[in-house]
Amino acid sequence: MVRKKIVIVGGGYVGFEVAKELDAHADVTLIEQREAFVMPPAAIRAIVDTTLLDQIILPYDHLLTEGQVVRGRAVSISQSDVTLENGAVYPADVIVVATGSSYAAPFKPAGQSIDDFRQASAQVSAQLTEAKSVAIVGAGAVGTELAGEIASAHPSKDVTLISSDDRLFPMYPARLGDQLKRKLEHLGVSIVFGQKAQDLQSVDMPFNGSVALADGRVISADLVFPVIGSKPQSKLLEALPGVAFGPSGRVKTDRWMRPAGLSNVFVAGDIADLGDGMTIVAISRQTPWLVKTLKRVLGGGPVEEQKAYTPWKLPPILVPLGPVVGNSWLFLTVGDWITRKMKGSALFIPKYRKAFGLSGDKK
Ligand SMILES: Cc1cc2nc3c(=O)[nH]c(=O)nc-3n(C[C@H](O)[C@H](O)[C@H](O)COP(=O)(O)OP(=O)(O)OC[C@H]3O[C@@H](n4cnc5c(N)ncnc54)[C@H](O)[C@@H]3O)c2cc1C
């Protein structure tokens, strides 16, 4: 039997997993602009431990057994094909768009070059070594973890974490934020709550300078990290008829992850407005649903017979503050030991290296 063609655009957490899961079931083409996958959660620690860089950049060469990974930038999609910047056209029975999001340097690659990412990470690491004071603007998971990593690795530095909320992780039971606050303060981090930074010098990369707060205070630091959230990269879908976007730029979908009312075009991950946050944890719920649904579609079944996707109500979260301490919410708040075992110690590096056909060893 001739296998149906599925083209997946974007080889991030959604794209690589869907491609791998469907490799034995369909004619899979994964289109990815970069030569390697990068693990952002571990990119945080890479600025205090540059030896990690080689472990968290995972080439696509051994990902698929039967399908192909094509290096290229997709510039348009239709119901029946995907076109790349170089003019190549990939026909498809089913298309998945998972182009993800961008983030301030040096935590996620920008554009098509992994070398630029390596250089940015190494450069910021060198700047951090020289810096006596650090300010982190944004106290979501990235800002909180970053404060913990820097304070653990460089206890003599003066680290300030600036939050616009009144506590850490306000969506979660107070115990999580309270315990993380106590542990950060124990590591020497000063936390400023309830203050929005005004007119940041840069939102794309760390800088040397000051941060003006809404109440008039000014915090000066040798290195200021803007870590104020992910920006969805959903441009590719703009030309598809019927596509709508939410206020944050994420693509609206029907209950089966389809953005344009087309029966065979799906979106997931950071670009998709499915009621989930922009996290790997959300993707860990979306991907199994999507794989199951795509198998049905590839088998000729109507997608509407598949139970519609429902997002997390309150997803679990793991927040290491360096390799040893941290807290997590796994439907109840847990402390150092579980956080370290589940994430803090190895940052999931062996798991993803194995998925990419590389040695599972961390070092
Ligand atoms: C510093 C940091 C730490 C994080 N830590 C955690 C964590 O601990 N836990 C957690 O749950 N979440 C975490 N996240 C969030 C997580 O990284 C994202 O939710 C996840 O990366 C989204 O996956 P995705 O597949 O949707 O997109 P992405 O991972 O952004 O991947 C999209 C891919 O599409 C490619 N692409 C884009 N446009 C094109 C195109 N036109 N043509 C071809 N290829 C294209 C890109 O090159 C990229 O490889 C973190 C994020 C950051 C920035």
Side-chain angles (χ1 to χ4, degrees), residues 10 26-27 32 34 40 43 63 71 96 100 107 125 135-136 166 206 219 225 235 242 300 304 308 331 351 358 360:
D27 178 352
E32 167 56 50
R34 299 194 269 264
L63 180 68
R71 171 109 191 259
V96 176
F107 302 115
S125 179
I136 297 166
D166 292 329
I219 293 177
F225 286 91
K235 200 170 182 328
E304 291 79 3
F331 310 104
K351 172 183 166 179
L358 300 161

PDB file of all heavy atoms in Angstrom, residues 10 26-27 32 34 40 43 63 71 96 100 107 125 135-136 166 206 219 225 235 242 300 304 308 331 351 358 360:
ATOM      1  N   GLY A  10       8.851  22.523  11.144  1.00  0.00           N
ATOM      2  CA  GLY A  10       9.384  22.887  12.450  1.00  0.00           C
ATOM      3  C   GLY A  10       9.761  21.651  13.229  1.00  0.00           C
ATOM      4  O   GLY A  10       8.907  20.831  13.564  1.00  0.00           O
ATOM      5  N   ALA A  26       3.805   6.464   8.057  1.00  0.00           N
ATOM      6  CA  ALA A  26       3.524   7.337   6.906  1.00  0.00           C
ATOM      7  C   ALA A  26       4.851   7.720   6.247  1.00  0.00           C
ATOM      8  O   ALA A  26       5.929   7.410   6.752  1.00  0.00           O
ATOM      9  CB  ALA A  26       2.802   8.590   7.392  1.00  0.00           C
ATOM     10  N   ASP A  27       4.720   8.382   5.108  1.00  0.00           N
ATOM     11  CA  ASP A  27       5.893   8.921   4.414  1.00  0.00           C
ATOM     12  C   ASP A  27       6.156  10.308   5.025  1.00  0.00           C
ATOM     13  O   ASP A  27       5.494  11.288   4.680  1.00  0.00           O
ATOM     14  CB  ASP A  27       5.532   9.002   2.924  1.00  0.00           C
ATOM     15  CG  ASP A  27       6.634   9.590   2.090  1.00  0.00           C
ATOM     16  OD1 ASP A  27       7.624  10.079   2.663  1.00  0.00           O
ATOM     17  OD2 ASP A  27       6.488   9.582   0.854  1.00  0.00           O
ATOM     18  N   GLU A  32      12.936  21.651   8.605  1.00  0.00           N
ATOM     19  CA  GLU A  32      13.492  22.419   9.733  1.00  0.00           C
ATOM     20  C   GLU A  32      14.599  23.325   9.197  1.00  0.00           C
ATOM     21  O   GLU A  32      15.471  22.890   8.462  1.00  0.00           O
ATOM     22  CB  GLU A  32      14.014  21.440  10.798  1.00  0.00           C
ATOM     23  CG  GLU A  32      14.892  22.039  11.867  1.00  0.00           C
ATOM     24  CD  GLU A  32      14.272  23.204  12.645  1.00  0.00           C
ATOM     25  OE1 GLU A  32      13.128  23.082  13.126  1.00  0.00           O
ATOM     26  OE2 GLU A  32      14.943  24.251  12.755  1.00  0.00           O
ATOM     27  N   ARG A  34      17.020  24.752  10.830  1.00  0.00           N
ATOM     28  CA  ARG A  34      18.358  24.624  11.453  1.00  0.00           C
ATOM     29  C   ARG A  34      18.857  23.186  11.365  1.00  0.00           C
ATOM     30  O   ARG A  34      18.063  22.267  11.230  1.00  0.00           O
ATOM     31  CB  ARG A  34      18.288  25.059  12.917  1.00  0.00           C
ATOM     32  CG  ARG A  34      17.863  26.516  13.069  1.00  0.00           C
ATOM     33  CD  ARG A  34      18.107  27.035  14.459  1.00  0.00           C
ATOM     34  NE  ARG A  34      16.994  26.872  15.356  1.00  0.00           N
ATOM     35  CZ  ARG A  34      16.083  27.818  15.621  1.00  0.00           C
ATOM     36  NH1 ARG A  34      16.165  28.991  15.041  1.00  0.00           N
ATOM     37  NH2 ARG A  34      15.112  27.592  16.469  1.00  0.00           N
ATOM     38  N   PRO A  40      16.009  24.427  25.106  1.00  0.00           N
ATOM     39  CA  PRO A  40      16.040  25.686  25.864  1.00  0.00           C
ATOM     40  C   PRO A  40      16.129  25.517  27.386  1.00  0.00           C
ATOM     41  O   PRO A  40      16.855  26.282  28.030  1.00  0.00           O
ATOM     42  CB  PRO A  40      14.738  26.395  25.459  1.00  0.00           C
ATOM     43  CG  PRO A  40      14.366  25.799  24.158  1.00  0.00           C
ATOM     44  CD  PRO A  40      14.850  24.383  24.196  1.00  0.00           C
ATOM     45  N   ALA A  43      19.587  25.351  28.118  1.00  0.00           N
ATOM     46  CA  ALA A  43      20.355  26.530  27.672  1.00  0.00           C
ATOM     47  C   ALA A  43      20.497  27.539  28.804  1.00  0.00           C
ATOM     48  O   ALA A  43      21.404  28.367  28.798  1.00  0.00           O
ATOM     49  CB  ALA A  43      19.674  27.177  26.464  1.00  0.00           C
ATOM     50  N   LEU A  63      17.520  11.058  13.623  1.00  0.00           N
ATOM     51  CA  LEU A  63      16.181  11.103  14.228  1.00  0.00           C
ATOM     52  C   LEU A  63      15.233  10.082  13.603  1.00  0.00           C
ATOM     53  O   LEU A  63      14.546   9.350  14.313  1.00  0.00           O
ATOM     54  CB  LEU A  63      15.598  12.523  14.076  1.00  0.00           C
ATOM     55  CG  LEU A  63      14.208  12.721  14.666  1.00  0.00           C
ATOM     56  CD1 LEU A  63      14.249  12.629  16.195  1.00  0.00           C
ATOM     57  CD2 LEU A  63      13.617  14.076  14.249  1.00  0.00           C
ATOM     58  N   ARG A  71      16.571  20.194   5.486  1.00  0.00           N
ATOM     59  CA  ARG A  71      17.004  21.477   6.051  1.00  0.00           C
ATOM     60  C   ARG A  71      16.543  22.582   5.118  1.00  0.00           C
ATOM     61  O   ARG A  71      16.935  22.661   3.954  1.00  0.00           O
ATOM     62  CB  ARG A  71      18.530  21.486   6.162  1.00  0.00           C
ATOM     63  CG  ARG A  71      19.095  22.837   6.521  1.00  0.00           C
ATOM     64  CD  ARG A  71      19.627  22.840   7.926  1.00  0.00           C
ATOM     65  NE  ARG A  71      19.929  24.186   8.356  1.00  0.00           N
ATOM     66  CZ  ARG A  71      21.146  24.706   8.378  1.00  0.00           C
ATOM     67  NH1 ARG A  71      22.168  23.973   7.999  1.00  0.00           N
ATOM     68  NH2 ARG A  71      21.335  25.942   8.801  1.00  0.00           N
ATOM     69  N   VAL A  96       1.453  19.421   9.245  1.00  0.00           N
ATOM     70  CA  VAL A  96       1.474  19.905  10.633  1.00  0.00           C
ATOM     71  C   VAL A  96       2.415  21.102  10.672  1.00  0.00           C
ATOM     72  O   VAL A  96       3.555  20.997  10.220  1.00  0.00           O
ATOM     73  CB  VAL A  96       1.979  18.825  11.615  1.00  0.00           C
ATOM     74  CG1 VAL A  96       2.081  19.388  13.033  1.00  0.00           C
ATOM     75  CG2 VAL A  96       1.065  17.600  11.587  1.00  0.00           C
ATOM     76  N   GLY A 100       6.687  27.108  16.391  1.00  0.00           N
ATOM     77  CA  GLY A 100       7.137  27.475  17.721  1.00  0.00           C
ATOM     78  C   GLY A 100       7.218  28.955  18.013  1.00  0.00           C
ATOM     79  O   GLY A 100       6.395  29.753  17.576  1.00  0.00           O
ATOM     80  N   PHE A 107      18.960  32.045  24.967  1.00  0.00           N
ATOM     81  CA  PHE A 107      18.279  30.857  25.487  1.00  0.00           C
ATOM     82  C   PHE A 107      17.612  29.999  24.425  1.00  0.00           C
ATOM     83  O   PHE A 107      17.183  28.894  24.691  1.00  0.00           O
ATOM     84  CB  PHE A 107      17.275  31.279  26.565  1.00  0.00           C
ATOM     85  CG  PHE A 107      17.936  32.009  27.690  1.00  0.00           C
ATOM     86  CD1 PHE A 107      17.659  33.343  27.943  1.00  0.00           C
ATOM     87  CD2 PHE A 107      18.892  31.368  28.460  1.00  0.00           C
ATOM     88  CE1 PHE A 107      18.303  34.016  28.959  1.00  0.00           C
ATOM     89  CE2 PHE A 107      19.541  32.031  29.488  1.00  0.00           C
ATOM     90  CZ  PHE A 107      19.250  33.363  29.738  1.00  0.00           C
ATOM     91  N   SER A 125      28.029  33.997  28.668  1.00  0.00           N
ATOM     92  CA  SER A 125      28.669  33.301  29.772  1.00  0.00           C
ATOM     93  C   SER A 125      29.933  34.066  30.216  1.00  0.00           C
ATOM     94  O   SER A 125      30.177  34.239  31.424  1.00  0.00           O
ATOM     95  CB  SER A 125      29.028  31.888  29.309  1.00  0.00           C
ATOM     96  OG  SER A 125      29.652  31.204  30.315  1.00  0.00           O
ATOM     97  N   ALA A 135      20.761  41.717  36.937  1.00  0.00           N
ATOM     98  CA  ALA A 135      19.314  41.919  37.148  1.00  0.00           C
ATOM     99  C   ALA A 135      18.570  41.065  36.131  1.00  0.00           C
ATOM    100  O   ALA A 135      18.975  40.981  34.968  1.00  0.00           O
ATOM    101  CB  ALA A 135      18.955  43.386  36.977  1.00  0.00           C
ATOM    102  N   ILE A 136      17.516  40.425  36.590  1.00  0.00           N
ATOM    103  CA  ILE A 136      16.717  39.563  35.711  1.00  0.00           C
ATOM    104  C   ILE A 136      15.312  40.149  35.663  1.00  0.00           C
ATOM    105  O   ILE A 136      14.657  40.277  36.703  1.00  0.00           O
ATOM    106  CB  ILE A 136      16.701  38.116  36.255  1.00  0.00           C
ATOM    107  CG1 ILE A 136      18.128  37.552  36.256  1.00  0.00           C
ATOM    108  CG2 ILE A 136      15.758  37.237  35.433  1.00  0.00           C
ATOM    109  CD1 ILE A 136      18.299  36.283  37.066  1.00  0.00           C
ATOM    110  N   ASP A 166       2.792  39.870  42.418  1.00  0.00           N
ATOM    111  CA  ASP A 166       3.046  40.056  43.848  1.00  0.00           C
ATOM    112  C   ASP A 166       3.675  38.832  44.490  1.00  0.00           C
ATOM    113  O   ASP A 166       4.057  38.854  45.657  1.00  0.00           O
ATOM    114  CB  ASP A 166       1.740  40.406  44.577  1.00  0.00           C
ATOM    115  CG  ASP A 166       1.272  41.781  44.142  1.00  0.00           C
ATOM    116  OD1 ASP A 166       2.142  42.619  43.818  1.00  0.00           O
ATOM    117  OD2 ASP A 166       0.050  42.003  44.078  1.00  0.00           O
ATOM    118  N   PRO A 206      20.743  40.221  26.524  1.00  0.00           N
ATOM    119  CA  PRO A 206      21.220  40.846  27.761  1.00  0.00           C
ATOM    120  C   PRO A 206      22.010  42.124  27.457  1.00  0.00           C
ATOM    121  O   PRO A 206      22.617  42.238  26.395  1.00  0.00           O
ATOM    122  CB  PRO A 206      22.133  39.771  28.369  1.00  0.00           C
ATOM    123  CG  PRO A 206      21.756  38.499  27.702  1.00  0.00           C
ATOM    124  CD  PRO A 206      21.293  38.867  26.334  1.00  0.00           C
ATOM    125  N   ILE A 219      17.274  50.199  38.949  1.00  0.00           N
ATOM    126  CA  ILE A 219      18.211  49.148  39.359  1.00  0.00           C
ATOM    127  C   ILE A 219      19.305  49.046  38.297  1.00  0.00           C
ATOM    128  O   ILE A 219      19.004  48.792  37.132  1.00  0.00           O
ATOM    129  CB  ILE A 219      17.476  47.801  39.526  1.00  0.00           C
ATOM    130  CG1 ILE A 219      16.511  47.917  40.710  1.00  0.00           C
ATOM    131  CG2 ILE A 219      18.460  46.650  39.734  1.00  0.00           C
ATOM    132  CD1 ILE A 219      15.668  46.711  40.957  1.00  0.00           C
ATOM    133  N   PHE A 225      19.259  40.735  32.216  1.00  0.00           N
ATOM    134  CA  PHE A 225      18.646  39.718  31.352  1.00  0.00           C
ATOM    135  C   PHE A 225      17.157  40.038  31.167  1.00  0.00           C
ATOM    136  O   PHE A 225      16.394  39.960  32.135  1.00  0.00           O
ATOM    137  CB  PHE A 225      18.733  38.327  31.992  1.00  0.00           C
ATOM    138  CG  PHE A 225      20.092  37.717  31.971  1.00  0.00           C
ATOM    139  CD1 PHE A 225      20.972  37.919  33.030  1.00  0.00           C
ATOM    140  CD2 PHE A 225      20.493  36.910  30.918  1.00  0.00           C
ATOM    141  CE1 PHE A 225      22.237  37.335  33.022  1.00  0.00           C
ATOM    142  CE2 PHE A 225      21.756  36.323  30.900  1.00  0.00           C
ATOM    143  CZ  PHE A 225      22.623  36.537  31.960  1.00  0.00           C
ATOM    144  N   LYS A 235       3.888  33.340  11.370  1.00  0.00           N
ATOM    145  CA  LYS A 235       3.766  34.077  10.104  1.00  0.00           C
ATOM    146  C   LYS A 235       3.370  33.173   8.927  1.00  0.00           C
ATOM    147  O   LYS A 235       2.581  33.561   8.060  1.00  0.00           O
ATOM    148  CB  LYS A 235       5.113  34.745   9.808  1.00  0.00           C
ATOM    149  CG  LYS A 235       5.039  35.887   8.831  1.00  0.00           C
ATOM    150  CD  LYS A 235       6.372  36.624   8.805  1.00  0.00           C
ATOM    151  CE  LYS A 235       6.375  37.821   7.884  1.00  0.00           C
ATOM    152  NZ  LYS A 235       5.558  37.763   6.721  1.00  0.00           N
ATOM    153  N   GLY A 242      -8.980  32.021   6.139  1.00  0.00           N
ATOM    154  CA  GLY A 242      -9.762  31.649   7.314  1.00  0.00           C
ATOM    155  C   GLY A 242      -8.976  31.568   8.607  1.00  0.00           C
ATOM    156  O   GLY A 242      -9.545  31.279   9.663  1.00  0.00           O
ATOM    157  N   GLY A 300      -7.543   7.374   6.815  1.00  0.00           N
ATOM    158  CA  GLY A 300      -8.755   7.728   6.058  1.00  0.00           C
ATOM    159  C   GLY A 300      -9.961   8.010   6.937  1.00  0.00           C
ATOM    160  O   GLY A 300     -11.051   8.276   6.441  1.00  0.00           O
ATOM    161  N   GLU A 304     -13.307  14.199  13.186  1.00  0.00           N
ATOM    162  CA  GLU A 304     -14.343  14.559  14.166  1.00  0.00           C
ATOM    163  C   GLU A 304     -14.764  13.368  15.030  1.00  0.00           C
ATOM    164  O   GLU A 304     -15.390  13.547  16.074  1.00  0.00           O
ATOM    165  CB  GLU A 304     -15.570  15.167  13.485  1.00  0.00           C
ATOM    166  CG  GLU A 304     -15.336  16.543  12.872  1.00  0.00           C
ATOM    167  CD  GLU A 304     -14.623  16.474  11.526  1.00  0.00           C
ATOM    168  OE1 GLU A 304     -14.363  15.349  11.039  1.00  0.00           O
ATOM    169  OE2 GLU A 304     -14.301  17.538  10.969  1.00  0.00           O
ATOM    170  N   ALA A 308     -12.257  15.480  21.003  1.00  0.00           N
ATOM    171  CA  ALA A 308     -11.581  16.769  20.820  1.00  0.00           C
ATOM    172  C   ALA A 308     -10.483  16.959  21.865  1.00  0.00           C
ATOM    173  O   ALA A 308     -10.543  16.383  22.952  1.00  0.00           O
ATOM    174  CB  ALA A 308     -12.608  17.895  20.933  1.00  0.00           C
ATOM    175  N   PHE A 331       0.705  18.381  41.211  1.00  0.00           N
ATOM    176  CA  PHE A 331      -0.623  18.270  41.813  1.00  0.00           C
ATOM    177  C   PHE A 331      -0.543  18.397  43.332  1.00  0.00           C
ATOM    178  O   PHE A 331      -1.533  18.387  44.008  1.00  0.00           O
ATOM    179  CB  PHE A 331      -1.372  17.016  41.330  1.00  0.00           C
ATOM    180  CG  PHE A 331      -1.323  16.953  39.803  1.00  0.00           C
ATOM    181  CD1 PHE A 331      -0.470  16.079  39.147  1.00  0.00           C
ATOM    182  CD2 PHE A 331      -2.065  17.842  39.048  1.00  0.00           C
ATOM    183  CE1 PHE A 331      -0.370  16.069  37.760  1.00  0.00           C
ATOM    184  CE2 PHE A 331      -1.986  17.848  37.658  1.00  0.00           C
ATOM    185  CZ  PHE A 331      -1.136  16.956  37.015  1.00  0.00           C
ATOM    186  N   LYS A 351      17.351  11.973  28.079  1.00  0.00           N
ATOM    187  CA  LYS A 351      16.103  11.582  27.398  1.00  0.00           C
ATOM    188  C   LYS A 351      16.096  12.083  25.945  1.00  0.00           C
ATOM    189  O   LYS A 351      15.793  11.331  25.019  1.00  0.00           O
ATOM    190  CB  LYS A 351      14.911  12.183  28.168  1.00  0.00           C
ATOM    191  CG  LYS A 351      13.594  12.026  27.470  1.00  0.00           C
ATOM    192  CD  LYS A 351      12.454  12.700  28.218  1.00  0.00           C
ATOM    193  CE  LYS A 351      11.255  12.787  27.278  1.00  0.00           C
ATOM    194  NZ  LYS A 351      10.094  13.385  27.866  1.00  0.00           N
ATOM    195  N   LEU A 358      21.428   9.626  19.958  1.00  0.00           N
ATOM    196  CA  LEU A 358      22.784   9.910  20.450  1.00  0.00           C
ATOM    197  C   LEU A 358      22.959   9.227  21.797  1.00  0.00           C
ATOM    198  O   LEU A 358      21.987   8.791  22.408  1.00  0.00           O
ATOM    199  CB  LEU A 358      22.959  11.432  20.612  1.00  0.00           C
ATOM    200  CG  LEU A 358      22.773  12.223  19.320  1.00  0.00           C
ATOM    201  CD1 LEU A 358      22.504  13.681  19.631  1.00  0.00           C
ATOM    202  CD2 LEU A 358      24.005  12.090  18.438  1.00  0.00           C
ATOM    203  N   GLY A 360      23.037   8.533  25.584  1.00  0.00           N
ATOM    204  CA  GLY A 360      22.218   9.137  26.635  1.00  0.00           C
ATOM    205  C   GLY A 360      23.035   9.822  27.711  1.00  0.00           C
ATOM    206  O   GLY A 360      22.489  10.493  28.561  1.00  0.00           O
TER     207      GLY A 360
END
